[in-house]
Amino acid sequence: MPRHQRRNAESNAQVGKDFEDLAYEHFRNDIPDLTPNFEIPIGIYAQKPHRFDLGSHAHKTLIECKSHTWTAGGNVPSAKLTGWDQAMLYFYLAPRSYRKIMFVKYVWSEKKQESLCEYYLRTHPHVIPDEVEFWEANEGEDTISRVSFDLTAKKYKTE
């Protein structure tokens, strides 16, 4: 198995594709025209096409999917979270009229006593646009929940 290959996985690309399929299945009833590799122009002064994992013109929705985990040693996957920061920039540059969803894998850290999503919400609020929704998929329990973090109360909220 290659050094950075996810354990028990055919390939990291397949893990990502399977996770996108899970997001698609979850949202497709509410967003019937949900499309993979959804392209929309984004930018500040000039615009350039960007592909989001899933999206819809009719329902004005953009979805990015991340199935990252803590490192094998239980540490923060800093390089992977840089990818989350990049997704936040793309959401910020996308039209404000679009619903923006970050769909992430639920992975718990005994060391930190929080999920990777909760960790990100707590430590990166300065890069998260206010209109981005975080949805966490717990594949082990077959549940999907919306997660938010109240900076003032320093508490997580799960719906």
Side-chain angles (χ1 to χ4, degrees), residues 27-41:
F27 289 106
R28 73 182 174 106
N29 289 334
D30 292 333
I31 309 166
D33 66 324
L34 197 59
T35 306
N37 293 314
F38 182 77
E39 189 175 285
I40 186 170

Side-chain angles (χ1 to χ4, degrees), residues 44-129:
I44 298 173
Y45 300 115
Q47 294 195 329
K48 184 176 177 182
H50 175 74
R51 289 187 186 274
F52 287 88
D53 293 328
L54 299 165
S56 162
H57 286 295
H59 290 85
K60 292 190 172 260
T61 304
L62 304 171
I63 302 174
E64 276 297 305
C65 303
K66 303 290 182 194
S67 64
H68 299 134
T69 63
W70 299 97
T71 67
N75 296 316
V76 175
S78 301
K80 300 296 184 194
L81 294 189
T82 299
W84 293 32
D85 290 344
Q86 184 180 40
M88 294 304 111
L89 175 62
Y90 293 146
F91 280 143
Y92 178 76
L93 296 173
R96 190 138 172 101
S97 59
Y98 275 72
R99 178 182 181 195
K100 298 158 185 173
I101 298 170
M102 183 76 160
F103 189 82
V104 301
K105 179 182 182 74
Y106 170 85
V107 281
W108 183 256
S109 168
E110 285 299 323
K111 191 181 206 178
K112 297 211 175 284
Q113 288 298 296
E114 62 190 343
S115 71
L116 188 57
C117 179
E118 291 170 337
Y119 173 83
Y120 185 79
L121 288 168
R122 180 175 60 80
T123 60
H124 290 73
H126 58 291
V127 298
I128 302 171

